[in-house]
C-alpha cells in the first residue's frame, strides 16, 4: 500500500478563499484563465500556476490588503493594485511581474526586513518561513536601513543602538504549553488575529496600538496567551508566516521533512491532519486543508494533544495474572495469547457458549471493530458484542432507525453554511466538537439564528458576535416535554409543511400524530411547570424553527442519555419532518458523535442484535451472508448489551470479557456495579494503551497501538469514511487488528478450526464491502483517490452520500411517532434535592486516558462541581471548597465552582478524572429502548467536606495495588 | 439478574408502547423484547414474572406469552 504518499490534491495556499459564481475569463501574464466571479486576481493567478508574492494573504482568510507585496499591473487601471483585494473582471489583462512591481516588492521587503532579526539559520522557522521565502522571491540582497547610533529602536533587539534597554522589545511569551509567541519576529500581517476571528471564532487576539506601535496582543493589558480567552486551537500558529507563533515541538525537534495525511483519533468530527515527521519522530500535527470535515481547522486536542502516544505510562509488553490481587507479570505475546485463549475456552466449556463476550472500541478503526465483533460471532459463537455507543448514541440508532430508516446523521458538516436557523439540543459543540463549532459560529456570525435547548448556559448562548435568539434552559429530564411542546406549537399554529408531509411521509399516520400532539397537555403553557421553560419563549422558538428558512438540528448526549433518550430522538425527527427540514443542504437532523469512530463502530455490527450494516441477527438472509463468508453458524438471537453483561456477571452467568480500547469502569454509570460485575468475571482481557481503570480487574493485558501506528479507517459523525495511515511502527509491536487476529487464531487453532489470514486492513475492508450494502463500493484505492467518502457508497450512490433522504426516506415514507412525556423515576426529594448533569470540557477527552497524559491538564487538572451561588450559599459552600456529592448510588468529593451557568437546583460536572469518578454517583436507570444510561439526570445532595471520601481513598489504593508490575525475569 | 431490574426495564418498555396508537401494543412490546433481549433475559423475565406478578405492567403481562 502507498502508506507514505500524500495521496491527493496539492495544498498550495491560493491566497484568497474560493468563490462561487458565473465564469469570468481574463489574461494573466499572457495565459487565459477562467474563474468564478468574485475570485481575486491573486487566486486566479494561482489557479493559472502563477504564485504572486504575498505575506498577509492566506486562502482560509478574507483578503486584507495590508502587506502590499502582491501588487500587480492591470491594463487600463492606474497604479499597482493589490491582487488579493482586486476581484477579476472579464477581459482583464494582468501582469504579475514588471519592473515597476518588482521594485515596489523589493522596497516592501526591505522595510519588513529592516525590522526583523537576521538570525535565519538558527531560527525555529528556518525552512518554513514565508518571510524568508518572499525575501528570496523578490531577490532582496541588501537592506539599507541601519539604526543610527544614539538610540533608534527596532522591535527585535532587546537593547537599542545606545545599549539601553529597548522598551519596544517584548520578551517571548511561552505561557501556552504548545506554542510560543515571540513579538520580536512579528511582521504584524494580522493573519493570526484574522484566523482567531474568522476561522476559530474566539476573538482572543487583537492588534494593539497603531503604526510603529502595532502589536499582536492576546486578551487585555498584561495578559499572556494562557490568561487570555485563547483556546489553543492552533489556527494562529497555522496562519503565522514567521516564527512569531511557533510550535514548541518544532523549536525542540526541528522542521519536519515528511508528512502523512491521517485522521484525528479524538472526537466524532474526524478532522484530517498532516502528521509531520523526521524519520519516525512525530514533530507536529497540522490540520489538512483538504480535509472535508475540518477544512483546514483544528482544536487543541487534535492539533497538540498527541503526547500520550509516547507517554511513559504506556504499556508495551503483554501481561497476565491468575487473580486480580496479584501483581502483573510481563510475558511473551505467545504466552499471553495462549493464557487468554485457554481461559476463554475453559470458561465456555464450563459455563456455556454465551458466558463470554466482547466490547468493541469506538476509538479503534472500522477494520479493528469489525474483527472484534467477528471474534465473538465467529469464534466465541455468540452475539455478546457491544460498544461504547451503548452509553452514548444507541438511542440515535433506535430513534432515527424507527422514523427515517437509518441510524445516522443526515448531513455533511459543510451543510451548516447553508442553515438559517440552527437548533442545538443537549450538546456543547464549543467543548465537545470544537471544529464543527467553529464552522457553526462562522455561519451564525453571518446571520443565521440560534436556538439552544440545554439546562446549562453553554458558551454558544453568548459568545463574541453571537447570541442565541432563544435559550430554553429546561430542567434536566424534560427533553421530551420540551420538544413535544415545540411540535405542538408548530402543528396547532399551522406552521407545518403540508406539501412535504403529504409527499414524503404517511399522511394518515400524521393525522393520528396531529390528534395526539394537538392535545392541550402538550402546550407550552401546560408544560412550563414541568420544564421550567417559559411558554412564550418556547412558542417563539418553535415559530422561528418552522418558518425561519433552512432549519438544522444538532444534538448530543444531552438528548440520548436519558430514560426517554430514544423518545427524544424520535421527537426531534418528527420536528424535522413536519417542517420539511430534511433532504437538502442546510437542514437535517445531526447527532454529534462523541468518539472518533462511534459511527463506524455502530456501522460495523458492534451491537448484539445487529450484524454490520444495522441488520438484525434474526434475518436468515443476512445471517446467510456472514455464514457464507465466515464458515460458521450465527446465533439468530440477540446477545447481551454492556449493562446486561454486567448484570449477568453479578448473577454468575457471564464470566469472560475481551474489552478493546474502552474503559468501562470509568465511563459507565454506577461504578460500584461495574466493579462488582468485573470482579465476578474469571477472565477479563483488557486491550489498551494504558493500565486503565478497567484493567484493575483484568487478568490479561494486551498492549494496544495508537492511531499513529496503524492503517485503517474511521467514520465520523457525517458518515465520512476517512483513512487512518500508519506514520510510525507500533511501539507495542503490533497494530490492534493484528492482536485481535492473534487472539482469534490462538482459540481457533486450539479448536482445530480454520485460521484468519489478514495481512493488511484493506483486506478487512474488502470483506466489509462484500458483506455490507452501504459499503459495497468502498475500498482503499477509492479512498486514496477521493480522500474520503460518505456512506452509503454503492452502485446507487457511487460517489457516496453527503446528504441523506434526498428523494425519499431510507425506510420509504417518513414515520411520525407519538412521543408522550414520561418522567424519569429518578426524582429529587428531601435526601437528594438537586439534579446532577454531566458533560465534558474542551481540553479533555472522554475518560481522559489520552488527554490526562498530555499538557492539556494545564487547562483542566481536576473535575469540579458547578453549582449555582444560591444553592451554594444555603449549604455554606464557597468557591474552591471541597464538597461531597452524593446520590443513592454512591458519593465522591470534588471542589466546587460557583456559577450561574447552571440554574438553581442543577449541578454539573465532568467525568475526565478517575480520582473523582463522577460515575460513582450516576445510577443504573437507562433509556427504555436501548439501555443507554441516564447520565444526565441524577438526584444528588451536596455538602461541605474535608477532602476525598473514604471510597475515593480505598479506590486509589486498590488501583495502586492492581497496577503493580513484577520486574521482568532475568 | 435481579428481578426488580428486569421487571423495571420491561415495564419501562411497556410505558412507551402504551402511549402508541393502535391495538397491537402487547405485540409491539413482545417484538421489542424479542429484538433486543436475548433468550436468557426473556426466560428470566418470564420466570420472575411468576413470583412478582403484581409488579408487572398489564402490557408486559399480555406480552409475556408472545415472547
Amino acid at each position: 500500500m502507498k502508506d507514505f504518499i500524500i495521496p491527493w490534491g496539492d495544498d498550495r495556499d491560493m491566497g484568497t478563499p474560493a468563490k462561487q459564481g458565473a465564469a469570468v475569463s481574463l489574461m494573466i501574464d499572457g495565459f487565459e484563465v477562467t474563474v468564478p466571479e468574485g475570485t481575486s486576481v491573486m487566486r486566479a493567478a494561482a489557479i493559472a500556476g502563477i504564485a504572486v508574492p504575498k505575506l498577509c494573504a492566506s486562502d482560509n482568510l478574507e483578503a486584507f490588503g495590508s502587506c502590499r507585496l502582491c501588487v500587480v499591473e492591470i491594463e487600463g487601471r492606474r497604479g499597482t493594485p493589490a491582487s488579493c483585494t482586486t476581484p477579476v473582471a472579464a477581459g482583464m489583462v494582468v501582469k504579475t511581474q514588471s519592473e515597476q512591481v518588482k521594485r515596489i516588492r523589493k522596497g516592501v521587503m526591505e522595510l519588513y526586513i529592516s525590522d526583523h532579526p537576521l538570525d535565519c539559520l538558527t531560527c525555529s522557522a528556518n525552512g518554513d518561513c514565508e518571510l524568508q521565502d518572499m525575501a528570496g522571491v523578490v531577490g532582496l540582497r541588501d537592506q539599507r536601513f541601519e539604526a543610527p547610533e544614539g538610540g533608534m529602536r527596532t522591535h527585535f533587539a532587546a537593547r537599542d543602538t545606545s545599549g539601553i534597554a529597548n522598551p519596544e522589545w517584548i520578551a517571548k511569551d511561552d505561557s501556552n504549553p504548545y506554542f510560543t509567541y515571540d513579538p520580536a519576529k512579528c511582521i504584524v500581517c494580522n493573519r493570526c488575529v484574522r484566523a482567531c476571528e474568522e476561522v476559530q471564532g474566539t476573538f482572543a487576539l487583537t492588534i494593539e496600538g497603531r503604526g510603529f506601535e502595532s502589536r499582536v496582543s492576546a486578551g487585555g493589558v498584561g495578559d499572556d496567551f494562557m490568561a487570555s480567552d485563547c483556546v489553543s486551537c492552533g489556527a494562529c500558529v497555522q496562519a503565522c508566516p514567521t516564527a512569531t507563533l511557533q510550535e514548541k515541538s518544532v523549536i525542540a525537534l526541528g522542521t519536519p521533512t515528511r508528512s502523512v495525511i491521517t485522521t484525528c483519533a479524538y472526537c466524532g468530527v474526524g478532522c484530517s491532519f498532516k502528521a509531520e515527521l523526521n524519520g519516525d519522530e512525530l514533530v507536529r500535527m497540522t490540520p489538512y486543508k483538504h480535509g472535508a470535515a475540518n477544512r483546514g481547522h483544528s482544536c487543541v486536542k487534535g492539533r497538540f494533544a498527541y503526547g500520550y502516544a509516547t507517554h511513559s505510562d504506556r504499556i508495551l509488553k503483554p501481561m497476565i495474572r491468575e487473580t486480580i490481587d496479584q501483581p502483573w507479570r510481563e510475558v511473551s505475546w505467545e504466552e499471553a495469547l495462549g493464557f487468554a485463549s485457554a481461559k476463554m475456552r475453559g470458561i465456555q466449556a464450563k459455563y456455556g457458549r454465551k458466558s463470554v463476550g466482547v466490547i468493541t472500541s469506538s476509538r479503534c478503526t472500522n477494520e479493528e471493530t469489525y474483527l472484534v465483533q467477528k471474534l465473538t460471532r465467529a469464534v466465541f459463537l455468540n452475539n455478546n458484542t457491544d460498544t461504547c455507543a451503548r452509553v452514548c448514541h444507541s438511542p440515535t440508532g433506535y430513534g432515527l432507525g424507527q422514523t427515517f430508516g437509518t441510524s445516522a446523521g443526515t448531513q455533511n458538516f459543510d451543510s451548516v453554511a447553508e442553515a438559517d436557523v440552527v437548533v442545538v439540543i443537549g450538546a456543547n459543540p464549543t467543548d465537545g466538537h470544537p471544529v464543527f463549532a467553529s464552522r457553526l459560529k462562522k455561519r451564525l456570525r453571518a446571520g443565521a439564528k440560534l436556538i439552544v435547548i440545554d439546562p446549562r448556559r453553554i458558551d454558544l448562548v453568548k459568545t463574541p458576535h453571537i447570541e442565541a435568539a432563544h435559550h430554553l434552559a429546561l430542567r434536566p429530564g424534560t427533553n421530551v416535554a420540551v420538544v413535544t411542546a415545540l411540535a405542538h406549537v408548530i402543528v396547532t399554529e399551522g406552521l407545518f409543511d403540508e406539501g412535504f408531509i403529504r409527499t414524503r411521509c404517511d399522511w394518515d399516520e400524521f393525522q393520528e400524530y396531529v390528534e395526539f400532539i394537538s392535545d392541550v397537555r402538550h402546550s407550552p403553557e401546560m408544560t412550563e411547570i414541568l420544564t421550567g421553560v417559559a411558554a412564550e419563549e418556547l412558542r417563539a422558538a418553535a415559530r422561528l424553527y418552522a418558518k425561519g428558512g433552512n432549519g438544522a438540528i444538532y444534538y448530543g448526549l444531552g438528548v440520548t442519555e436519558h430514560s426517554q433518550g430514544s423518545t427524544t430522538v424520535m421527537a426531534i425527527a418528527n420536528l424535522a419532518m413536519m417542517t420539511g427540514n430534511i433532504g437538502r443542504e442546510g437542514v437535517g437532523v445531526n447527532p454529534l458523535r462523541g468518539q472518533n469512530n462511534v459511527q463506524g463502530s455502530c456501522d460495523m455490527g458492534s451491537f448484539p442484535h445487529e450484524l454490520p450494516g444495522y441488520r438484525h441477527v434474526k434475518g436468515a438472509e443476512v445471517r446467510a451472508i456472514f455464514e457464507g463468508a465466515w464458515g460458521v453458524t450465527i446465533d439468530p438471537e440477540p446477545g447481551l448489551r454492556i449493562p446486561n453483561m454486567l448484570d449477568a456477571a453479578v448473577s454468575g452467568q457471564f464470566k469472560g470479557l475481551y474489552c478493546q480500547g474502552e474503559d468501562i469502569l470509568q465511563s459507565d454509570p454506577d461504578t460500584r456495579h461495574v466493579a462488582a460485575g468485573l470482579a465476578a468475571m474469571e477472565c477479563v482481557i483488557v486491550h489498551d494503551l494504558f493500565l486503565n481503570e478497567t484493567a484493575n480487574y483484568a487478568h490479561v493485558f494486551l498492549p494496544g497501538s495508537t492511531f499513529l501506528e496503524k492503517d485503517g479507517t474511521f467514520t465520523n459523525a457525517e458518515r465520512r469514511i476517512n483513512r487512518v495511515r500508519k506514520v510510525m511502527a507500533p511501539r507495542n509491536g503490533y497494530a490492534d487488528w493484528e492482536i485481535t487476529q492473534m487472539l482469534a487464531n490462538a482459540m481457533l487453532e486450539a479448536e482445530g478450526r480454520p485460521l484468519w489470514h489478514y495481512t493488511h486492513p484493506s483486506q478487512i475492508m474488502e470483506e466489509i464491502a462484500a458483506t455490507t450494502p452501504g459499503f459495497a463500493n468502498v475500498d482503499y484505492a477509492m479512498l486514496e483517490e477521493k480522500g474520503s467518502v460518505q456512506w452509503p457508497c454503492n452502485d446507487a450512490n457511487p460517489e457516496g452520500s453527503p446528504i441523506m433522504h434526498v428523494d425519499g426516506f431510507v425506510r420509504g415514507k417518513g414515520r411520525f411517532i407519538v412521543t408522550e412525556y414520561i418522567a424519569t423515576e429518578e426524582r429529587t426529594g428531601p435526601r437528594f434535592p438537586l439534579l446532577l448533569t454531566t458533560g465534558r470540557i474542551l481540553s479533555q477527552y472522554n475518560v481522559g486516558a489520552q488527554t490526562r497524559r498530555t499538557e492539556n491538564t494545564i487547562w483542566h487538572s481536576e473535575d469540579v462541581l458547578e453549582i449555582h451561588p444560591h444553592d451554594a450559599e444555603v449549604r455554606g459552600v464557597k468557591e474552591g471548597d471541597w464538597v461531597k456529592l452524593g446520590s443513592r448510588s454512591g458519593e465522591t468529593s470534588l471542589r466546587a465552582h460557583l456559577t450561574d451557568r447552571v440554574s438553581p437546583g442543577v449541578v454539573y460536572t465532568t467525568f475526565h478524572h478517575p480520582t473523582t469518578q463522577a460515575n460513582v454517583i450516576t445510577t443504573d436507570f437507562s433509556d427504555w429502548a436501548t439501555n443507554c444510561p441516564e447520565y444526565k439526570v441524577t438526584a444528588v445532595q451536596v455538602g461541605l467536606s474535608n477532602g476525598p471520601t473514604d471510597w475515593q481513598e480505598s479506590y486509589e489504593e486498590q488501583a495502586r495495588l492492581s497496577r503493580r508490575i513484577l520486574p521482568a525475569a532475568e | 439478574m435481579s428481578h426488580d431490574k428486569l421487571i423495571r426495564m420491561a415495564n419501562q418498555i411497556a410505558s412507551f408502547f402504551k402511549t402508541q396508537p393502535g391495538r397491537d401494543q402487547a405485540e409491539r412490546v413482545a417484538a421489542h423484547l424479542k429484538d433486543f433481549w436475548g433468550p436468557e433475559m426473556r426466560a428470566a423475565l418470564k420466570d420472575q414474572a411468576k413470583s412478582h406478578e403484581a409488579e408487572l405492567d398489564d402490557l408486559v403481562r399480555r406480552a409475556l406469552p408472545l415472547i
Side-chain angles (χ1 to χ4, degrees):
Chain A
M1 297 303 296
K2 298 178 288 179
D3 290 333
F4 293 108
I5 296 172
I6 297 173
W8 63 90
D10 72 56
D11 55 354
R12 275 187 303 152
D13 187 335
M14 309 297 278
T16 63
K19 299 287 176 191
Q20 287 179 328
V24 173
S25 293
L26 68 160
M27 298 293 288
I28 301 179
D29 293 346
F31 297 98
E32 183 170 345
V33 55
T34 303
V35 295
E37 193 178 0
T39 302
S40 69
V41 169
M42 175 182 278
R43 189 177 178 91
I47 289 167
I50 298 163
V52 180
K54 65 179 185 61
L55 278 172
C56 73
S58 178
D59 60 10
N60 63 341
L61 304 170
E62 291 302 325
F64 196 58
S66 84
C67 75
R68 314 312 292 179
L69 202 60
C70 70
V71 291
V72 293
E73 287 184 22
I74 299 175
E75 264 184 35
R77 296 206 186 178
R78 288 197 307 180
T80 49
S83 62
C84 64
T85 51
T86 306
V88 295
M92 195 179 244
V93 177
V94 179
K95 272 182 77 68
T96 71
Q97 201 75 344
S98 70
E99 287 310 314
Q100 190 187 7
V101 300
K102 278 159 55 181
R103 199 169 54 245
I104 293 171
R105 288 175 191 157
K106 204 181 258 187
V108 167
M109 279 311 296
E110 192 173 1
L111 284 167
Y112 271 120
I113 297 303
S114 71
D115 195 18
H116 194 85
L118 295 178
D119 60 351
C120 291
L121 279 179
T122 52
C123 175
S124 58
N126 185 13
D128 186 25
C129 172
E130 293 179 38
L131 189 69
Q132 197 177 46
D133 295 345
M134 289 306 113
V137 166
V138 305
L140 186 70
R141 298 289 171 255
D142 190 17
Q143 77 86 7
R144 295 161 294 169
F145 308 113
E146 284 298 325
E149 292 299 316
M152 182 176 272
R153 294 160 187 156
T154 65
H155 288 113
F156 65 84
R159 297 189 171 274
D160 71 11
T161 48
S162 63
I164 298 168
N166 176 5
E168 299 294 340
W169 180 82
I170 303 173
K172 204 189 243 193
D173 172 0
D174 61 1
S175 59
N176 184 291
Y178 297 119
F179 63 86
T180 61
Y181 165 51
D182 184 357
K185 302 219 159 151
C186 181
I187 60 170
V188 202
C189 64
N190 281 251
R191 274 163 65 165
C192 55
V193 177
R194 287 147 61 211
C196 192
E197 293 176 5
E198 294 177 34
V199 179
Q200 165 56 27
T202 292
F203 294 77
L205 302 182
T206 189
I207 300 288
E208 205 176 68
R210 353 168 93 191
F212 194 70
E213 311 296 322
S214 304
R215 311 305 286 262
V216 171
S217 168
V221 178
D223 281 348
D224 58 17
F225 267 75
M226 269 315 278
S228 76
D229 289 339
C230 169
V231 292
S232 198
C233 69
C236 58
V237 182
Q238 195 66 7
C240 181
T242 69
T244 309
L245 288 157
Q246 181 79 63
E247 296 92 346
K248 286 185 176 174
S249 61
V250 172
I251 296 173
L253 304 172
T255 39
T257 49
R258 71 179 182 102
S259 67
V260 183
I261 292 163
T262 192
T263 304
C264 178
Y266 282 115
C267 78
V269 177
C271 296
S272 297
F273 275 88
K274 277 164 73 174
E276 302 187 14
L277 306 99
N278 280 322
D280 69 349
E281 182 175 56
L282 183 62
V283 175
R284 66 178 169 188
M285 298 286 285
T286 55
Y288 181 52
K289 68 184 290 187
H290 297 306
N294 55 317
R295 302 286 178 204
H297 191 35
S298 60
C299 82
V300 61
K301 295 191 283 283
R303 178 74 153 88
F304 296 117
Y306 51 80
Y308 68 87
T310 49
H311 195 277
S312 60
D313 282 355
R314 222 180 125 183
I315 304 290
L316 300 172
K317 292 192 178 130
M319 303 189 296
I320 58 172
R321 59 184 172 190
E322 276 296 332
T323 57
I324 59 169
D325 55 2
Q326 294 175 345
W328 286 105
R329 190 159 62 83
E330 288 182 352
V331 294
S332 67
W333 278 100
E334 199 180 1
E335 185 175 352
L337 293 162
F339 180 86
S341 155
K343 282 260 183 191
M344 293 303 252
R345 294 185 62 237
I347 290 170
Q348 284 195 295
K350 189 169 170 193
Y351 301 99
R353 192 163 47 84
K354 297 188 179 182
S355 59
V356 299
V358 299
I359 296 178
T360 73
S361 176
S362 296
R363 296 177 202 165
C364 286
T365 63
N366 285 316
E367 293 76 1
E368 287 163 344
T369 303
Y370 178 87
L371 282 198
V372 175
Q373 62 89 34
K374 178 173 172 177
L375 175 73
T376 207
R377 295 199 156 108
V379 180
F380 298 171
L381 299 172
N382 65 41
N383 286 320
N384 292 334
T385 171
D386 209 355
T387 187
C388 88
R390 173 66 50 214
V391 300
C392 65
H393 267 294
S394 53
T396 292
Y398 182 80
L400 296 185
Q402 293 289 313
T403 48
F404 297 162
T406 189
S407 167
T410 64
Q411 309 299 113
N412 57 4
F413 287 137
D414 287 347
S415 161
V416 76
E418 302 296 322
D420 299 311
V421 180
V422 176
V423 187
V424 174
I425 313 180
N428 185 7
T430 53
D431 285 55
H433 304 87
V435 170
F436 167 71
S438 289
R439 301 186 66 183
L440 167 62
K441 288 196 289 184
K442 187 169 192 163
R443 179 62 194 152
L444 294 171
R445 287 196 305 276
K449 299 283 190 292
L450 173 67
I451 299 166
V452 173
I453 306 179
D454 201 290
R456 213 167 140 253
R457 196 179 68 237
I458 58 171
D459 282 351
L460 264 186
V461 172
K462 198 170 188 311
T463 188
H465 300 274
I466 290 169
E467 187 162 7
H470 306 284
H471 174 209
L472 311 184
L474 74 180
R475 273 171 65 79
T478 61
N479 286 333
V480 172
V482 168
V483 182
T484 303
L486 289 168
H488 171 90
V489 174
I490 291 168
V491 169
T492 55
E493 295 191 6
L495 308 174
F496 55 88
D497 182 344
E498 184 172 337
F500 183 90
I501 300 167
R502 279 190 183 274
T503 53
R504 301 288 303 276
C505 306
D506 186 321
W507 183 253
D508 292 337
E509 230 165 31
F510 182 65
Q511 294 312 308
E512 279 178 351
Y513 177 79
V514 166
E515 196 179 321
F516 159 81
I517 201 76
S518 304
D519 192 286
V520 70
R521 72 180 187 280
H522 304 303
S523 70
E525 289 72 19
M526 293 290 277
T527 53
E528 180 172 344
I529 188 141
L530 297 169
T531 64
V533 175
E536 262 322 298
E537 189 78 7
L538 191 146
R539 279 191 183 273
R543 290 167 191 149
L544 177 61
Y545 172 69
K547 289 292 168 192
N550 284 343
I553 301 175
Y554 293 87
Y555 72 89
L557 305 184
V559 160
T560 54
E561 290 175 346
H562 288 274
S563 284
Q564 275 198 292
S566 292
T567 315
T568 310
V569 173
M570 294 188 280
I572 287 171
N574 289 342
L575 277 187
M577 287 190 292
M578 75 178 64
T579 53
N581 278 315
I582 283 284
R584 60 177 195 277
E585 285 260 318
V587 299
V589 173
N590 303 281
L592 292 171
R593 303 277 179 168
Q595 302 209 50
N596 49 334
N597 202 34
V598 175
Q599 180 71 52
S601 72
C602 297
D603 301 342
M604 291 300 108
S606 293
F607 290 139
H609 66 289
E610 281 173 344
L611 287 157
Y614 304 97
R615 291 166 295 169
H616 203 284
V617 291
K618 69 186 174 190
E621 68 295 347
V622 179
R623 287 201 311 279
I625 297 170
F626 291 93
E627 287 173 343
W630 298 345
V632 295
T633 303
I634 293 171
D635 188 342
E637 288 282 0
L640 296 170
R641 303 175 280 195
I642 295 172
N644 311 145
M645 289 180 195
L646 294 166
D647 290 341
V650 170
S651 55
Q653 293 114 32
F654 188 84
K655 293 288 186 183
L657 177 69
Y658 170 46
C659 179
Q660 182 182 67
E662 292 294 339
D663 193 358
I664 57 169
L665 185 62
Q666 194 183 338
S667 65
D668 284 33
D670 196 359
T671 309
R672 285 174 203 242
H673 179 65
V674 180
L678 290 168
M681 295 183 203
E682 292 180 8
C683 180
V684 174
I685 306 168
V686 167
H687 179 172
D688 206 286
L689 300 175
F690 305 104
L691 278 172
N692 61 17
E693 305 309 306
T694 307
N696 296 348
Y697 291 88
H699 306 83
V700 180
F701 186 89
L702 303 177
S705 52
T706 71
F707 75 113
L708 297 167
E709 300 167 350
K710 59 195 179 188
D711 281 301
T713 56
F714 291 152
T715 307
N716 75 356
E718 41 164 15
R719 295 168 279 104
R720 185 180 303 284
I721 305 162
N722 261 317
R723 274 284 270 120
V724 178
R725 291 187 176 80
K726 182 174 169 178
V727 304
M728 58 179 73
R731 294 182 69 221
N732 57 320
Y734 295 100
D736 294 325
W737 61 270
E738 294 177 282
I739 295 165
T740 303
Q741 170 163 278
M742 292 191 296
L743 176 61
N745 284 347
M747 293 185 69
L748 291 169
E749 193 167 21
E751 291 167 13
R753 295 161 61 195
L755 305 188
W756 295 358
H757 295 289
Y758 303 105
T759 56
H760 192 276
S762 60
Q763 298 159 348
I764 306 172
M765 182 53 87
E766 282 166 22
E767 186 173 316
I768 295 166
T771 52
T772 309
F775 283 69
N777 288 15
V778 180
D779 64 29
Y780 277 32
M782 169 198 244
L783 294 173
E784 292 295 328
E785 183 199 323
K786 291 188 190 300
S788 66
V789 67
Q790 288 170 271
W791 68 255
C793 176
N794 44 31
D795 288 344
N797 308 282
E799 298 293 306
S801 310
I803 292 176
M804 293 196 81
H805 317 298
V806 174
D807 299 314
F809 286 99
V810 168
R811 71 181 300 278
K813 293 276 187 190
R815 181 167 163 226
F816 283 93
I817 294 180
V818 163
T819 57
E820 188 75 62
Y821 168 66
I822 298 166
T824 169
E825 292 173 47
E826 182 71 12
R827 311 259 162 90
T828 53
R831 279 182 67 206
F832 302 113
L834 302 171
L835 284 178
L836 168 74
T837 185
T838 60
R840 61 164 79 171
I841 201 162
L842 171 67
S843 56
Q844 297 282 358
Y845 176 71
N846 199 268
V847 295
Q850 293 138 291
T851 45
R852 277 186 283 109
R853 292 179 173 96
T854 69
E855 302 278 350
N856 276 26
T857 47
I858 196 168
W859 286 279
H860 185 82
S861 56
E862 59 183 328
D863 294 320
V864 296
L865 185 77
E866 288 189 4
I867 182 168
H868 192 276
H870 292 172
D871 291 326
E873 190 179 7
V874 296
R875 289 167 176 79
V877 172
K878 299 183 301 296
E879 178 71 24
D881 280 350
W882 275 95
V883 291
K884 191 167 77 181
L885 175 69
S887 75
R888 63 187 170 82
S889 288
E891 54 188 40
T892 188
S893 281
L894 66 177
R895 288 178 201 276
H897 171 52
L898 276 51
T899 172
D900 65 358
R901 269 178 172 238
V902 288
S903 305
V906 177
V907 292
Y908 166 90
T909 188
T910 47
F911 63 103
H912 301 305
H913 291 273
T915 45
T916 324
Q917 282 284 13
N919 282 322
V920 170
I921 308 300
T922 51
T923 70
D924 62 355
F925 283 169
S926 64
D927 173 49
W928 67 268
T930 67
N931 273 165
C932 178
E934 188 166 53
Y935 287 106
K936 302 295 184 183
V937 189
T938 310
V940 294
Q941 179 58 295
V942 172
L944 281 170
S945 85
N946 296 324
T949 60
D950 292 345
W951 187 87
Q952 280 165 294
E953 280 172 1
S954 68
Y955 180 92
E956 285 267 298
E957 177 60 10
Q958 193 255 354
R960 190 187 65 76
L961 285 174
S962 75
R963 289 193 178 121
R964 287 170 301 158
I965 301 174
L966 284 179
E970 289 300 317
Chain B
M1 203 180 297
S2 65
H3 78 272
D4 56 331
K5 208 166 193 173
L6 276 182
I7 290 177
R8 189 175 74 219
M9 279 157 51
N11 286 347
Q12 219 187 334
I13 292 166
S15 72
F16 174 79
F17 288 105
K18 196 182 290 180
T19 65
Q20 297 303 301
R23 291 161 181 271
D24 60 346
Q25 286 98 340
E27 285 76 12
R28 294 175 70 185
V29 170
H32 190 92
L33 289 171
K34 281 201 286 191
D35 277 355
F36 296 98
W37 290 26
E40 295 76 15
M41 281 174 69
R42 301 198 306 262
L45 176 67
K46 278 182 156 174
D47 197 42
Q48 290 163 10
K50 287 178 201 151
S51 46
H52 298 86
E53 176 90 27
E55 295 164 40
L56 292 185
D57 189 289
D58 181 51
L59 209 44
V60 175
R61 210 172 292 136
R62 288 197 283 139
L64 282 185
L66 307 174
I67 60 169

